[in-house]
Amino acid sequence: MPNCYTPIEEIIYTFGGPWAFAILLTFLLVLVAFFITALRIKMGEGDYSYTAKSAVGSDGHASFPYLLSLAEVPGTSKAEETQSHVHRMYFMGPNTFREPWHLPYSPPDAIIGIVYEDAFNRFIDEINLVAAYEWWEGSVHSILSVLAYPCAWSWKQWCRRNKIHRLQEYVKSEYDHSCLRSCRSRALYKGMKVGSTPDLMVAYIDFFLGGDEKRLDVVSSIQKRFPMCIIFGGDGSYMSPYNLHSDALLSNLVGQYVSTAIWNRFVSGLNAQLRIVNRRKIRTALAPVLSWISTHGNPQLERSGVRVELGWFQATASGYYQLGIVVSINEVFFTSLHSPEMPESSDRTRRNMGAPVKVNVSRQVWLNQSQPQSMSNSFSRKRLTGGVNGGIINEGTLGSLDYRRDYLFPLSLLLQNTRPIGFQEAVQLLMCTMLLGDFVITLLTLVHFYWISVGAFLVILLMPPLSALSPFLAGLNAIFSRGPKRSSLSRIYALWNATSIVNIFVAFICGLVFYCLFSSQLATLVNNSSLKRDDNEWWVLPLILLLVKALQEGLVNWHIANVEIQDLSLFTPDPDKFWAM
């Protein structure tokens, strides 16, 4: 070439030099980003949202009269399930290939009156085998973790989804329910139901009465489900933050004491605090959650006679434990409210107030010794945990929680859940602009290293494979997605973007190797100053690309927070404003 320019320099100087090229490129990227944003909004306006309809409303032959069974009529089984529900038994473990879900042996105290213990232990053996993963599933995950980690995460979620479907099918139709004492439950294959949180991190089995149990005290004991443990979904990671999933059954159970509007508002506020809790910084991250519960949650709930405490439960041999809450009921409040003619029971409960309760686990802790006298502390271990081992988390026990050290600290600075900032359309426009800039600079970097060495070009493109150009496709998929998938697809996009940083470090290594081994030889063979300058500026494009990806991660984190939390009032420090629904 006449000026000894590289192909990249030929493009830059064709448009007037570096500054003119940068300004022109930025203008074009913003223009295309505006076009994509307008197209996304237009597609969103034309998208029809269909609400869930009943079997009658969705049937094309609804104009013709026909009979429905009670099971097909919406809402007929909710009240029955609430009244007959006995206990929710949670699976232990993080549901990974090395440590799958499993149930502990021996029935919990809450269901010991409705099951046969020997048959129940045999049921535990069978369902633990169903919950275990095959060896090849873990092998595929290990291979994908090396090649493309986002694909490995998608594979793990797919396996988890198949596993929960397999567990539900096994309990629903394959298992003969021989562990239940109720003849009706065994005959109808009812009495147990498997469910899970939406993130597939926590699974549970709900036990129900069959209606023909011989023991009369079982019917009265189901009215004493509290204190009740509710375990959070998620594991405190970027892809699966902690969350309290209050399904219809839990909402109906708590709704017997607290209004549905107050409970749903409390769940929304607690989830807003939990989503920014990092498991690797669990001791410092849970302090704001404890403060929020004491200032925002319990003062309002105690007016209805309910109190919530944060707790940890079901520690496994590997050190994994689950977080959750303990929902307790003030028996004095409801005894005086519903049975004013029984002062003896109230007096007996009042005399038992103030007695601290110990949870018998490997590390024993006292249950909230500073609990107000308005709430009853006279709870046995059976009523406190329902057979779930664990303890209460407060300011005194927070420092004893185990956590894993964060060896990937720089990566955690990029992949972290943040609070929403609003300005959703502006954040999406900036995110789209950075996505286009990332794609263009990546292409320029690949062209530049192709001019340097074909080997360097292949190494940067294939280590790891699919990571250099995949963020652009994943980003477009996240931008044009709508509905509940927006958050999950955006997280996958952020994971691809963080994985592609490895390609940048590979580019830096290849550039250093080329500069150290060949620059002196080329300078000796060809005494040209422009070639020497090219060798000295090989790092400019990778450095710009690294900065773009870092800014892109921050924008994606804000975008995910805006999508998952639409109500910014959930973070208000004023409790009165929070409850002003």
Side-chain angles (χ1 to χ4, degrees):
M1 297 181 182
N3 298 316
C4 292
Y5 285 157
T6 65
I8 298 299
E9 288 177 333
E10 281 289 337
I11 298 175
I12 292 175
Y13 285 102
T14 301
F15 293 95
W19 289 106
F21 177 77
I23 294 174
L24 179 61
L25 181 62
T26 304
F27 174 77
L28 291 177
L29 291 178
V30 173
L31 187 63
V32 176
F34 268 110
F35 173 76
I36 293 178
T37 303
L39 181 62
R40 179 187 58 81
I41 296 175
K42 186 66 176 178
M43 293 177 61
E45 292 177 352
D47 184 34
Y48 295 95
S49 59
Y50 296 95
T51 57
K53 297 182 179 180
S54 63
V56 179
S58 60
D59 196 342
H61 303 280
S63 58
F64 298 96
Y66 63 98
L67 294 177
L68 288 176
S69 66
L70 288 178
E72 295 174 330
V73 178
T76 55
S77 61
K78 291 183 178 179
E80 181 182 354
E81 285 188 352
T82 304
Q83 295 299 324
S84 62
H85 183 263
V86 179
H87 177 67
R88 173 167 289 186
M89 186 176 183
Y90 288 93
F91 283 81
M92 301 176 64
N95 192 21
T96 59
F97 297 103
R98 293 186 177 181
E99 189 176 2
W101 280 328
H102 59 279
L103 289 176
Y105 289 93
S106 71
D109 298 337
I111 64 171
I112 198 170
I114 64 172
V115 298
Y116 298 107
E117 187 169 356
D118 294 339
F120 181 82
N121 289 333
R122 290 193 296 270
F123 166 71
I124 295 298
D125 286 330
E126 296 172 3
I127 201 168
N128 284 344
L129 289 177
V130 176
Y133 289 101
E134 299 291 340
W135 66 269
W136 59 269
E137 294 176 315
S139 301
V140 172
H141 179 264
S142 300
I143 295 173
L144 291 177
S145 298
V146 177
L147 298 178
Y149 183 76
C151 294
W153 186 84
S154 300
W155 168 258
K156 182 165 61 174
Q157 289 298 103
W158 183 81
C159 293
R160 285 173 171 173
R161 190 173 295 105
N162 286 344
K163 186 59 62 178
I164 189 63
H165 290 166
R166 180 72 182 89
L167 289 171
Q168 291 174 337
E169 186 65 24
Y170 173 77
V171 173
K172 181 180 180 180
S173 59
E174 297 181 20
Y175 179 61
D176 59 0
H177 293 64
S178 59
C179 67
L180 300 178
R181 293 179 181 268
S182 171
C183 298
R184 183 174 181 269
S185 297
R186 294 197 302 269
L188 298 178
Y189 279 29
K190 291 185 177 181
M192 293 188 296
K193 183 183 296 185
V194 176
S196 70
T197 55
D199 55 14
L200 307 176
M201 290 297 300
V202 176
Y204 49 83
I205 299 181
D206 287 315
F207 290 86
F208 302 91
L209 289 177
D212 60 339
E213 282 79 5
K214 300 299 181 182
R215 295 179 53 187
L216 298 179
D217 58 333
V218 171
V219 180
S220 60
S221 67
I222 67 173
Q223 304 298 330
K224 302 178 180 179
R225 305 180 185 93
F226 297 90
M228 179 175 59
C229 294
I230 304 177
I231 294 181
F232 297 150
D235 59 353
S237 62
Y238 177 76
M239 301 300 293
S240 299
Y242 289 119
N243 66 91
L244 173 58
H245 176 61
S246 181
D247 55 11
L249 181 59
L250 289 180
S251 298
N252 292 335
L253 289 175
V254 181
Q256 297 176 355
Y257 307 96
V258 183
S259 67
T260 304
I262 293 178
W263 175 250
N264 291 338
R265 182 67 175 177
F266 169 77
V267 171
S268 299
L270 182 60
N271 285 336
Q273 300 293 324
L274 288 174
R275 72 179 303 278
I276 57 178
V277 173
N278 189 348
R279 187 177 181 87
R280 300 183 184 275
K281 303 175 184 177
I282 194 70
R283 296 179 181 178
T284 57
L286 280 182
V289 179
L290 289 173
S291 177
W292 185 88
I293 292 177
S294 62
T295 59
H296 290 65
N298 281 329
Q300 178 69 26
L301 295 177
E302 285 177 355
R303 299 177 184 177
S304 303
V306 176
R307 185 175 179 84
V308 170
E309 298 291 342
L310 192 66
W312 62 273
F313 310 100
Q314 301 195 145
T316 61
S318 64
Y320 179 84
Y321 57 90
Q322 298 165 317
L323 296 182
I325 56 174
V326 179
V327 182
S328 57
I329 302 298
N330 183 5
E331 293 179 341
V332 178
F333 179 86
F334 289 103
T335 301
S336 60
L337 181 64
H338 299 289
S339 302
E341 70 279 5
M342 299 175 59
E344 296 182 359
S345 176
S346 301
D347 294 339
R348 182 169 57 254
T349 307
R350 191 177 296 108
R351 287 194 298 268
N352 291 332
M353 280 188 186
V357 179
K358 209 176 218 181
V359 182
N360 186 16
V361 291
S362 59
R363 182 174 49 203
Q364 295 177 340
V365 295
W366 291 95
L367 168 59
N368 194 22
Q369 298 182 16
S370 61
Q371 191 173 2
Q373 293 296 319
S374 62
M375 302 298 292
S376 175
N377 282 341
S378 57
F379 296 139
S380 64
R381 176 181 177 272
K382 170 185 175 182
R383 294 191 56 199
L384 174 66
T385 63
V388 179
N389 294 326
I392 299 299
I393 300 176
N394 51 34
E395 290 79 2
T397 61
L398 187 59
S400 62
L401 291 177
D402 295 331
Y403 69 99
R404 295 181 179 180
R405 296 187 180 274
D406 191 3
Y407 296 104
L408 300 176
F409 177 71
L411 186 61
S412 64
L413 292 177
L414 298 177
L415 296 176
Q416 58 178 346
N417 295 301
T418 61
R419 293 189 176 188
I421 63 171
F423 309 103
Q424 186 169 354
E425 295 299 332
V427 170
Q428 291 183 1
L429 176 61
L430 291 175
M431 186 178 69
C432 185
T433 304
M434 300 302 292
L435 174 64
L436 295 173
D438 179 10
F439 180 67
V440 172
I441 298 174
T442 299
L443 292 180
L444 293 177
T445 303
L446 292 176
V447 171
H448 182 64
F449 276 89
Y450 180 80
W451 174 83
I452 293 177
S453 173
V454 178
F457 167 80
L458 293 177
V459 170
I460 295 171
L461 188 62
L462 300 177
M463 291 187 63
L466 305 177
S467 297
L469 301 177
S470 294
F472 179 70
L473 300 177
L476 289 180
N477 192 19
I479 289 174
F480 285 97
S481 63
R482 295 179 298 276
K485 292 184 178 182
R486 293 184 66 187
S487 176
S488 60
L489 291 178
S490 298
R491 291 184 186 277
I492 295 176
Y493 162 43
L495 204 59
W496 274 114
N497 189 52
T499 306
S500 63
I501 295 179
V502 179
N503 298 93
I504 300 178
F505 287 113
V506 173
F508 277 110
I509 295 175
C510 293
L512 286 174
V513 171
F514 174 80
Y515 179 78
C516 295
L517 295 181
F518 301 107
S519 62
S520 59
Q521 300 178 9
L522 291 174
T524 303
L525 294 176
V526 181
N527 188 12
N528 191 303
S529 60
S530 63
L531 180 60
K532 195 172 184 179
R533 183 197 63 197
D534 297 336
D535 291 342
N536 292 333
E537 296 179 355
W538 58 267
W539 51 270
V540 174
L541 284 176
L543 181 60
I544 295 176
L545 185 59
L546 181 61
L547 295 177
V548 169
K549 288 187 177 295
L551 294 175
Q552 197 174 353
E553 283 292 343
L555 292 172
V556 175
N557 293 335
W558 286 340
H559 168 70
I560 295 173
N562 289 335
V563 170
E564 293 182 347
I565 301 179
Q566 302 287 338
D567 187 4
L568 297 181
S569 65
L570 295 175
F571 291 96
T572 178
D574 188 359
D576 295 332
K577 292 182 179 179
F578 174 81
W579 290 106
M581 297 175 291

